[in-house]
Each structure stands twice: as structure tokens, then as C-alpha cells.
Amino acid sequence: MSELSVRVQGRLLLRYLLPERAMLALLSLVIAVLLLIQLLSPQIVQRFIDMADHKAPLSVLLVMAGGYCAIGVINQGVAVVEAFLAQSLAWSVTNRVRLDLLRHCLRLDRSFHAGRTPGELIERVDGDVSNLANFFSRFVIYVVGNALLLAGVLIMLFRVDWRVGVTMTVFAGVALLVLFGARNWAGKRWAAVRQAYAELYGFIGERLAALEDLKANGAVDFTLTQLRHIFARLLPREMKSGEAWAITDNVSYGTFLAGTAMSLLWAGYLYQRHSISLGVAYLIFQYNDLLRQPLDQIRNQLQDLQRAVAGLMRIQALFAIQPEIVDGGGCGAPRGALSLEFDHVTFAYGNDEEPILDDFSLVIPAGRKLAVLGHTGSGKTTLARLIVRFHDPQQGTIFAGGHDLRSWRLVDLRRRLGVVTQDVQLFRASVRDNLTLFDPSLHDADLVAALEQCGLGNWLNTLPQGLDTVLQPQGLSAGEAQLLAFARVLLRDPDLVILDEASSRVDPATERQIHAAMERLLAGCTAIVIAHRLSTLDLVDDVLILAQGRIVEHGARSELLADASSELSHLLRLGLEMDLIA
């Protein structure tokens, strides 16, 4: 891992830990109390054994036994407080990381999301962050705390006898060297495991989304075969990761057993020579057993560290991805219908691919409605994506309202646009939230009016809880979903509307209802209608026919219809509606 990468990860940790410094300080204090109790408890037992060996009064022994029990109860209470604080810290910090990661992913371009499955992103946003929970809450405090406990135990053993202290120091040092030596080796294997799980979740999420198509086309067995291949790649990585830590654990445990045997031999030897009392012999054994705890916890924390480092590397890599679409500073274009101009625009989805639009120029005056026709791959949907700035052209400029699209703030541009596609995204939420997209500033009266204008007034009256009714997306017909999308856009009062195949999936009766909603939606604004059904042409002023990213025909609808030799007249005569698919 490079020094720069370590510094970046360090800054990332501080960014989320510093706001929680008060809770960190409190957690540190609680852990310090726990460590102090652990060091003092064996001293009480040692004194009890020695006093019992010297025939101390029973009342004194009972007081010491009661004190030891009281300390045990206090220890358990402090441990509960420590666990609560640690979990609270972990959830607070990791939830903020999740929120920032999700916000960052939502800012990234469409090209980023096109190359990644939802399952993979869920694993990156949630799975990788979950591995940081223990790291954020306990790692630094536990490593420092257990290092202090380790030092305290060794100091106590040196106070008993320097030979016991030297012996246990050597064995503890060997155990720590083994643990730290295995860190990088095991960490690389754990990172490979996390990547394999990201691929697995991505595969499962993608296949579940396409479950109906898989069943209908008999591809279930093939999908299961693919899943077995993914598991076959995952299993060896899991085994290698487990083997790495099993080897480390066994070597560490073997070292500790050897140290325990040596300490017991020293205790027996010193007791036989009357150099120590029976209580001190017990104290050596108890401190030796206590020595195992910090070594075990340091080992566990190092394992968590490897998982955390793997997660941090992937989180850092995700944060490092920057959107290709650069936000503008704001153009200040006045409200009202927006004009559009494509000035020698060339665009391809990849550097090595053929251009979808090639030296494309077009002017759409403010307030005009343009229908765009063309066969698959002609560039119709690409026009819409460029206007919304899902992508920027490699060459040429697009102007909206007389201003270069790159000069617009994205939030201002998209606030003035309304886009309806054939694939309507509905949420398992109330009708209100589906209309407002969770914007609480919109009033219910406006929502009801929008639904009535789009022909959904009667539908709303049939809902048991009106606007509060929770939608089941699968329970709506394609037409109802499309009309709901129209109402959603109508509420925003856009200056430019883009309809991308908005009536391609409905029956003729529903199409008439949608046609009326489209007419209301397009009133008073500029519009681009990517048409599948030629009946949609009744709503537009102009028609553009594309083929392979170039203009075949462009002109006023009335003029093109009056010209029997025009391409539009030819299409109408042939009735090739079903071939005009985006």
C-alpha cells in the first residue's frame, strides 16, 4: 500500500471519527476503568489466598470475598456501558459513511451506473461499510487499551520476579511479531473475498430483476449454472482467507501455550524455594492467563483491521471516482419556454465506438413541439440524454435558452426539465410521495389537481386512503403508471418537456387518455416527443426524422404532410408504426 494511499485513508478515518470525539473520549474512559479492574482483581485474590494461608479471621476473609464480588458486578456493569457506547459509535459513524457514499453515487454519471449492477453498488455502499463498524468503534481504543493492559501485566510480572517477567515478555513479543507479520498476507486474501462477494450480489440482483424473462425463456437452469461457477470462484478465496487466519491463530496460540508452561514452571520453582507465597504463585498464573486476553483481542482486531483496510480501499476508490459531467456556475436564463440548439454535435458512448450523432445541428425555437422519428439506433434517445446532461458531446455545443448547457447548474437545468419515458419508476410508498418524489413543499390540492388533469381523478377516488395509499407498483397497469408519471412532471411546471416513447406500451383506449394528458402537459413549453405511434404527431409543430445519427428530414409537420414525396408521408402510407422503436 502506497504512502499516499495510507494518508488518504487516514484522512478518511479522521473525517468521520473527529465529529464523535466526545463519545470517543467517554468510551476511552470506560475502557480505562475496565483495564484497571482487570489488573487489580488478581491482586485481591492473591491477598485472599495468602491471608487464608496465614489463618486470617473469617470476618476479614468474608469482607475481601464480598469486595471481590462487588468489583465483579461493577466490572459487568461497566462492560455493558462500554458495549453500548461502542455500538452507538459504530452505527453513528458508519451510517454517515453510507449516507455520503450514496450521495456520491447519486452524483456520478449515467456511464458509471451503466457499468455496475445494483447488487454490486449495494455491496459497496453497505457491505464494505459494515466491515468498518467494529473498526470505527473499538479498533484504536482496543489496540491502545490492550497494549496498555499487556504492558501492565508484564510490569506486574516483573514486580513478582524478573525471570518470570523476561520469560513472558519474550513469548508475548514473539506472538505479536507473528500477528503483525501475517497482516499484509491475510489482508490481500480478505480483499479478494470482498470483491468476490460484490460480484455475487451484483449477479443475484441483476437476475432477480429479470426473473420473469428468465422463467419465460427457460433460462433458470442456465442461471443456476452461472451461479455455481461464481460460488466455485468464491469458495477458494474464502478458504485461503480462513487458512491464513487459522495458521496465524494456531501459531499465536502455540506460542502462548509455551509461555504459559514456562511461567507455571517458574511459579512452581519459586514456590518450592519459598521465594514466593502460594498467593503470588496464583498471581503469576492469573496474570499469565490475563496476558492471553490482550493478545487474543489484538489478533481479532488485526483481523478486523484487514477487513477494514480492504473496505477502506474500496470506499476510497469509490470516493475517488469523479463525475465526468462538470457542474456549471449558473447561466441565469429567465423562466419560460426554452429554445434548444445543437451546434455541430458529435457524440459516441465510447471512445472506440462509432458516433451515435455525427456533426449534428438542429434549432428548436422556444415553445415549439418537435416529434423525433427513426429506427432503432438512429439517435433519438441519445438526443434526450444529451439535453438532460447524462452525457456531454465529444464535439460541438448544445444551447438551452441561448446558453451553453455546460454553463448551467445541473440542479437548475433539471428543475426546468420534465422527462417521461416508457419505463416509469414507481416506489413502494404513498401516492403523495410517488408524485412529489418525497418533496414535502408541494400541497395536496396541487397533487389532486394534477391527477385530475391527467385523467386519474376517478382512480384517486377509488383508493382507500387517497393520497396516503401505499402503492404496490406491480398492481398498476402500464397506462395508470404512465399517467402518474405525467402528473409527476405536470406538478413541476417545466419549461422543456421530453417524452421518450411515452405511449408505446398501452392499448388504444388508454392511449387516448394519455394523448389528452400529453396535450395538457405540453401546453406553453418547448417539447421533444420521441414518437413510437404516429398518432402522437397530432400534438407537434415540427417533425425530425433521423437515420444513423443524421437528419433525414426536418420541417413543419403541416408542410411535410402536404408534400407527398416527403419521408413522413412515405412512413404514413406504409404505416410502419411498429418499426419505429427507440
Side-chain angles (χ1 to χ4, degrees), residues 392-577:
D392 279 338
Q394 284 85 18
Q395 297 177 24
T397 307
I398 304 174
F399 297 91
H403 298 268
D404 187 339
L405 273 187
R406 294 183 178 91
S407 69
W408 285 73
R409 290 178 62 228
L410 288 173
V411 65
D412 292 336
L413 173 66
R414 291 169 182 171
R415 188 179 290 127
R416 296 180 64 175
L417 299 180
V419 180
V420 181
T421 68
Q422 60 179 319
D423 297 316
V424 179
Q425 179 62 59
L426 297 178
F427 302 96
R428 197 176 300 276
S430 67
V431 175
R432 179 185 295 102
D433 288 338
N434 271 282
L435 283 172
T436 64
L437 294 181
F438 310 96
D439 180 359
S441 65
L442 296 173
H443 302 293
D444 285 359
D446 296 327
L447 307 187
V448 173
L451 289 173
E452 289 177 347
Q453 289 184 61
C454 292
L456 289 176
N458 292 333
W459 171 79
L460 178 63
N461 294 331
T462 64
L463 299 179
Q465 295 174 295
L467 292 174
D468 292 317
T469 303
V470 176
L471 286 183
Q472 303 295 328
Q474 295 81 5
L476 269 67
S477 68
E480 289 170 339
Q482 204 76 63
L483 290 169
L484 202 62
F486 281 122
R488 181 188 286 171
V489 173
L490 193 62
L491 281 167
R492 300 175 60 186
D493 189 23
D495 297 325
L496 171 62
V497 173
I498 300 172
L499 304 182
D500 188 355
E501 309 288 358
S503 61
S504 62
R505 298 171 58 191
V506 297
D507 57 82
T510 306
E511 184 190 355
R512 287 191 292 272
Q513 198 173 0
I514 288 178
H515 192 280
M518 290 170 62
E519 195 168 7
R520 296 187 185 95
L521 180 61
L522 300 183
C525 65
T526 307
I528 295 177
V529 181
I530 298 173
H532 172 67
R533 298 179 185 269
L534 295 180
S535 58
T536 308
L537 299 181
D538 296 340
L539 299 172
V540 303
D541 306 307
D542 305 304
V543 175
L544 172 71
I545 300 177
L546 292 176
Q548 297 180 339
R550 294 182 178 274
I551 297 175
V552 174
E553 187 170 80
H554 176 223
R557 176 178 64 92
S558 57
E559 294 177 1
L560 294 177
L561 289 176
D563 183 359
S565 64
S566 69
E567 185 68 18
L568 178 60
S569 297
H570 176 67
L571 288 175
L572 288 172
R573 284 195 300 272
L574 293 178
L576 295 179
E577 295 187 11

Side-chain angles (χ1 to χ4, degrees), residues 364-394:
I364 307 174
R368 299 287 287 184
K369 281 74 175 170
L370 174 72
V372 183
L373 307 178
H375 294 282
T376 301
S378 61
K380 304 189 302 295
T381 298
T382 299
L383 281 178
R385 291 174 179 172
L386 290 175
I387 295 169
V388 183
R389 286 201 74 195
F390 287 157
H391 307 277
D392 279 338
Q394 284 85 18

Side-chain angles (χ1 to χ4, degrees), residues 130-445:
S130 295
N131 287 321
L132 298 180
N134 193 47
F135 180 82
F136 274 128
S137 63
R138 302 187 179 193
F139 176 77
V140 176
I141 295 173
Y142 265 36
V143 167
V144 173
N146 282 302
L148 291 175
L149 178 60
L150 183 63
V153 170
L154 292 176
I155 289 171
M156 293 294 185
L157 290 173
F158 268 104
R159 289 185 61 191
V160 172
D161 187 273
W162 68 270
R163 289 163 292 188
V164 177
V166 168
T167 300
M168 294 313 300
T169 300
V170 170
F171 280 103
V174 172
L176 287 174
L177 286 174
V178 171
L179 291 175
F180 282 103
R183 184 182 61 179
N184 292 331
W185 175 52
K188 293 177 182 177
R189 296 188 172 193
W190 181 250
V193 171
R194 298 313 308 166
Q195 179 59 37
Y197 272 111
E199 295 172 1
L200 171 64
Y201 296 146
F203 177 86
I204 292 175
E206 193 174 49
R207 273 28 178 209
L208 287 176
L211 189 58
E212 291 185 6
D213 288 338
L214 292 176
K215 287 183 175 180
N217 292 281
V220 172
D221 290 341
F222 176 71
T223 300
L224 292 176
T225 300
Q226 287 182 302
L227 185 60
R228 280 195 291 269
H229 290 321
I230 292 175
F231 280 132
R233 293 194 298 270
L234 173 61
L235 180 60
R237 297 183 188 183
E238 279 275 20
M239 292 180 65
K240 288 180 180 179
S241 177
E243 287 170 0
W245 283 108
I247 292 171
T248 304
D249 186 54
N250 287 329
V251 171
S252 174
Y253 187 67
T255 304
F256 172 78
L257 284 180
T260 302
M262 289 299 299
S263 68
L264 290 176
L265 287 174
W266 275 120
Y269 171 75
L270 294 173
Y271 180 71
Q272 285 184 345
R273 296 192 60 182
H274 304 290
S275 298
I276 59 173
S277 65
L278 181 62
V280 173
Y282 167 81
L283 189 66
I284 293 174
F285 169 77
Q286 188 67 24
Y287 275 141
N288 179 79
D289 190 60
L290 188 59
L291 194 64
R292 181 181 178 183
Q293 174 184 323
L295 290 174
D296 282 347
Q297 288 198 356
I298 289 173
R299 184 192 69 239
N300 293 334
Q301 291 301 318
L302 285 175
Q303 187 171 4
D304 285 338
L305 172 63
Q306 298 314 312
R307 297 176 181 177
V309 167
L312 273 174
M313 290 170 62
R314 288 159 56 81
I315 290 170
Q316 173 191 335
L318 187 53
F319 272 131
I321 299 173
Q322 294 301 313
E324 298 175 4
I325 306 299
V326 179
D327 207 353
C331 67
R335 286 302 306 263
L338 291 171
S339 62
L340 277 175
E341 180 182 354
F342 292 78
D343 184 17
H344 299 285
V345 168
T346 297
F347 174 76
Y349 284 103
N351 294 329
D352 300 327
E353 296 184 18
E354 289 292 322
I356 302 297
L357 298 177
D358 190 6
D359 196 29
F360 180 85
S361 295
L362 174 70
V363 176
I364 307 174
R368 299 287 287 184
K369 281 74 175 170
L370 174 72
V372 183
L373 307 178
H375 294 282
T376 301
S378 61
K380 304 189 302 295
T381 298
T382 299
L383 281 178
R385 291 174 179 172
L386 290 175
I387 295 169
V388 183
R389 286 201 74 195
F390 287 157
H391 307 277
D392 279 338
Q394 284 85 18
Q395 297 177 24
T397 307
I398 304 174
F399 297 91
H403 298 268
D404 187 339
L405 273 187
R406 294 183 178 91
S407 69
W408 285 73
R409 290 178 62 228
L410 288 173
V411 65
D412 292 336
L413 173 66
R414 291 169 182 171
R415 188 179 290 127
R416 296 180 64 175
L417 299 180
V419 180
V420 181
T421 68
Q422 60 179 319
D423 297 316
V424 179
Q425 179 62 59
L426 297 178
F427 302 96
R428 197 176 300 276
S430 67
V431 175
R432 179 185 295 102
D433 288 338
N434 271 282
L435 283 172
T436 64
L437 294 181
F438 310 96
D439 180 359
S441 65
L442 296 173
H443 302 293
D444 285 359

